[in-house]
């Protein structure tokens, strides 16, 4: 398990969204670093919760932008967001209810999905006329 590095290859060219993606990666890295440092359960819970809340906030912002532009992929994109939030929420709830620890697999899933989404799905937004 390693932190995620922001690179210009992850930039989609929409300043607002790129800034949010950098913040999102920063929060993920805070969680990873807390896990690697074997921080206390409450510290991990706070980091996980902050990442979850920011994820929901970021998706809401992207979807607000979708509503303002002509974007043929908005339905599929929203479905991807909803699916991820559901799975992330399940992880978070199990952790908070002491049903599961903060596993490497959970963090790898979050990291892999985030990087995949930013690098594969969100670039579709780059060519659209977004003034966010």
């Amino acid at each position: 398990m390693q932190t995620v590095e922001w690179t210009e290859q992850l930039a989609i060219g929409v300043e607002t969204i790129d800034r949010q993606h950098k913040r999102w990666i920063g929060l993920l890295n805070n969680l990873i670093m807390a896990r690697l440092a074997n921080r206390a359960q409450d510290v991990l819970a706070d980091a996980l919760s902050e990442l979850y809340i920011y994820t929901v906030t970021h998706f809401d912002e992207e979807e607000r932008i979708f509503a303002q532009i002509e974007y043929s992929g908005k339905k599929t994109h929203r479905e991807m967001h909803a699916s991820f939030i559901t799975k992330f929420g399940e992880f978070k709830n199990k952790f908070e209810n002491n049903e599961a620890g903060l596993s490497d697999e959970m963090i790898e899933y979050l990291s892999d999905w985030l990087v995949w989404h930013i690098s594969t799905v969100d670039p579709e937004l780059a060519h659209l006329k977004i003034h966010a």
Side-chain angles (χ1 to χ4, degrees):
M1 174 177 38
Q2 61 187 34
T3 58
V4 176
E5 182 180 343
W6 173 264
T7 65
E8 287 307 309
Q9 285 79 14
L10 293 175
I12 67 165
V14 178
E15 185 179 338
T16 302
I17 294 174
D18 286 340
R19 186 174 49 250
Q20 289 180 8
H21 287 167
K22 287 178 188 177
R23 173 84 174 123
W24 201 16
I25 288 172
L27 292 171
L28 174 64
N29 285 337
N30 289 346
L31 177 64
I32 292 168
M33 295 305 293
R35 171 68 167 73
L36 290 172
N38 293 315
R39 300 296 304 263
Q41 182 85 359
D42 61 329
V43 173
L44 292 172
D46 288 347
L48 187 64
S49 182
E50 186 176 16
L51 177 61
Y52 180 82
I53 290 167
Y54 193 79
T55 299
V56 171
T57 300
H58 170 67
F59 288 170
D60 285 348
E61 176 66 15
E62 272 192 8
E63 292 173 15
R64 183 191 63 75
I65 291 169
F66 297 169
Q68 298 174 2
I69 61 174
E70 194 166 316
Y71 172 41
S72 63
K74 68 176 107 184
K75 181 179 184 285
T76 301
H77 205 137
R78 280 189 184 117
E79 289 169 354
M80 286 180 204
H81 287 172
S83 177
F84 181 73
I85 289 296
T86 298
K87 186 155 186 161
F88 190 171
E90 290 169 1
F91 283 147
K92 182 177 165 295
N93 290 337
K94 285 180 181 179
F95 178 77
E96 290 171 345
N97 293 321
N98 294 315
E99 296 171 21
L102 190 58
S103 68
D104 290 350
E105 291 80 18
M106 179 200 293
I107 292 177
E108 286 175 18
Y109 171 79
L110 296 174
S111 297
D112 291 348
W113 193 94
L114 184 151
V115 171
W116 168 81
H117 188 78
I118 291 172
S119 65
T120 305
V121 179
D122 283 347
E124 295 173 6
L125 302 174
H127 70 282
L128 303 172
K129 295 179 180 174
I130 298 173
H131 304 288

